[in-house]
Amino acid sequence: MSDRFREVARRIFSSLDLESALFDAYAYLKGIMPLDGAFITSYDHGQKKARVIALACAEGGVGLDEMISISDGTWEMMGVWHEESRQNPTPWIRDHTHPINKEFIRLVKHWLPSVRTRPEGSQNLCCTISCALKSQGEIMGNLILAAAGESLYNDSHVEVMKDICEPFGMALANAMRFKDLVRDHQALQRDTRQMTGDVMIGAHGGLSKVRRLIEQVAPTESPVLLLGETGTGKEVVAGEIHKLSPRCKGPLIRLNCGAIPESLMDSELFGHQKGAFTGAFETSVGRFERASGGTLFLDEIGELPMAAQVKLLRVLQSGEFERVGGTRVMQADVRIIAATHRNLEAMVAEGTFRSDLWFRLHVFPLSIPPLRKRTEDIPAMVDHFILHKTREMNLSYRPCLAEGALAALMDYPWPGNVRELQNLVERALILSGGRPLRFETLLDRPAPRAETKVWEVTEPLSGTFDDMAASWIRKALVLSHGKVSGPNGAADRLGLHPNTLRSKMKKYGIRLHRRVNVN
Ligand SMILES: Nc1ncnc2c1ncn2[C@@H]1O[C@H](COP(=O)(O)OP(=O)(O)OP(=O)(O)O)[C@@H](O)[C@H]1O
């Protein structure tokens, strides 16, 4: 394997964006041969049109995916070339006098506005060297390298082309497959949204204020922080923001920060190069790259480990990131929506969430009220869930509600919010056997009632908050026999991270080398 092959392969496979990979390869090739532009094209023989998939020149890489009509004369010559390339893949040199190159200059002027504005004549001489790009024996397209001037390419450049056409062919095939996958994924997302209703119930009721805020923030690029109890619809709101944003044609990619082990978090966010760590058998694309041009929804952001918080902050500040084990700096082209059911401000005070990251995310906080505070939405939600669950469950009938059923729902505190209501409707449908739906018995259990505890103050306050906190820490240390971390340790009993507990012990002057006094 030649060094040229290795270097070009490394560059052309460095990114799923064919245009940036092509620009990387172009920068390398420009150092070893005359070069002003590199083009990856394919031809539609039915329509007699050329498709420019990507091009790279001094200004950078551009992904075009544009169809251009070609004159009949040129098309015939292209047909001959295409047929010959099928039989014999030797690269072709075309000098500045070749008629195809005259047509090529016309196309280059069309694709590159900067060429049009250069002094007349400076771009009118053009040599090209091109080769067919094949994958599994099929011609997928062509690589055309072009330089302004006369008779610039010779046999040594043919050897370069022979070396590099294979990785270019594979990269083109992968890029086309990736594009298909993205298209499939978007279609699937559309279908899923249609199946689940793709509507935010309550937009004109209990969520009307939320709806107004969504409409105000969606057109901007600002990060949004969604706050609300579990199941209130934070993901639904994130979807609405994305849908109404200028990024709506791009992907909406979700990462549940609470579901990824800490050791894999960097790789999930930023991707990794093959061999970056034990088990990294393949290069993997992270969520930042997958969300490129769209929105990255970071759910359960409060669960993001400290080390990952630092890295996320760095990306939000610089707009750049690298894959784990990679050397190439990539631009982050995403809009961030984060969500949490936790009190991030308290976490910042406690030292478990970085204050600088909180400031970055807290640009536009949007609170979604719990369902018990917008019971007016319950009837429409029940209707909506009955409609969609009967479809999903392939039921031939659509049951109605029994008398008093709605009243029972309106009276319930809904600790699990909309998700709990959705599950309840599904359970009632399964049990109904076609009879009117009733919920009373399903609700007949001691629900964990949020916000219903009545606090009674029987004693006056004695001491400050710090005094109380220090006293609790001492008690927890006594109960855990001085053990700070681990199961049944003081940190565990207090619901704190051991490091947080240690820093608080330092703050309150609590030491462990002698018996801890409770008071
Ligand atoms: N306003 C709404 N209209 C229609 N469906 C909703 C609405 N709000 C929530 N849902 C449905 O309720 C379920 C839970 O919503 P979602 O996952 O968005 O909640 P969440 O706040 O993100 O929950 P968690 O905090 O657990 O991640 C989903 O199936 C969602 O489709």
Side-chain angles (χ1 to χ4, degrees), residues 47 74 82 125 132 148 152 177 262 306 353 367 467 483 485:
Q47 293 189 59
T74 309
H82 199 267
L125 297 178
L152 293 169
R177 251 175 252 142
E262 187 166 350
M306 266 293 175
F353 199 84
S367 294
D467 294 338
K483 187 174 159 195
S485 56

Side-chain angles (χ1 to χ4, degrees), residues 162 200 301 306 460:
K162 279 187 186 165
M200 186 177 80
I301 189 81
M306 266 293 175

Side-chain angles (χ1 to χ4, degrees), residues 199-201 207 230-236 299 418-419 422:
V199 279
M200 186 177 80
I201 307 287
L207 290 179
T230 182
T232 42
K234 296 186 287 299
E235 192 168 347
V236 172
D299 205 358
V418 185
R419 183 178 292 113
Q422 195 179 26

Side-chain angles (χ1 to χ4, degrees), residues 371-372 375-380 382 400-414 421 424 437-441 443-444 449:
L371 188 56
R372 65 183 167 279
T375 47
E376 80 250 47
D377 295 341
I378 290 179
V382 172
C400 57
L401 297 183
E403 211 185 316
L406 261 186
L409 297 182
M410 307 283 274
D411 207 29
Y412 182 72
W414 299 109
L421 175 61
L424 187 90
L437 299 186
R438 347 192 116 262
F439 304 104
E440 300 89 317
T441 49
L443 291 171
D444 193 17
R449 287 184 161 258

Side-chain angles (χ1 to χ4, degrees), residues 51 53 64-66 172-193 249-251 253 290:
R51 181 190 290 275
I53 296 165
L64 290 172
D65 208 8
E66 189 181 339
L172 175 59
N174 285 348
M176 284 177 152
R177 251 175 252 142
F178 181 64
K179 259 193 188 149
D180 287 347
L181 276 176
V182 170
R183 241 193 316 265
D184 288 353
H185 177 71
Q186 285 170 347
L188 209 65
Q189 274 193 334
R190 264 196 311 276
D191 288 354
T192 316
R193 273 191 235 124
K249 291 214 166 71
I253 299 291
R290 271 199 254 163

Side-chain angles (χ1 to χ4, degrees), residues 469-516:
S471 145
W472 271 61
I473 290 173
R474 284 198 184 91
K475 277 183 187 160
L477 285 166
V478 169
L479 289 172
S480 51
H481 307 286
K483 187 174 159 195
V484 174
S485 56
N488 290 326
D492 199 19
R493 285 169 197 272
L494 292 167
L496 292 176
H497 191 281
N499 289 343
T500 313
L501 177 55
R502 284 192 193 97
S503 75
K504 289 195 184 302
M505 286 166 62
K506 201 167 156 199
K507 178 177 169 191
Y508 299 131
I510 303 172
R511 298 212 180 88
L512 276 177
H513 57 265
R514 61 192 149 82
R515 206 168 162 264
V516 181

Side-chain angles (χ1 to χ4, degrees), residues 41 45 119 204 207 250 271 282 313 345 392 414 421 426 451 497:
T41 58
H45 291 267
H204 302 291
L207 290 179
E282 298 295 339
L313 178 68
E345 268 162 304
E392 207 178 283
W414 299 109
L421 175 61
E426 184 168 354
E451 290 193 355
H497 191 281

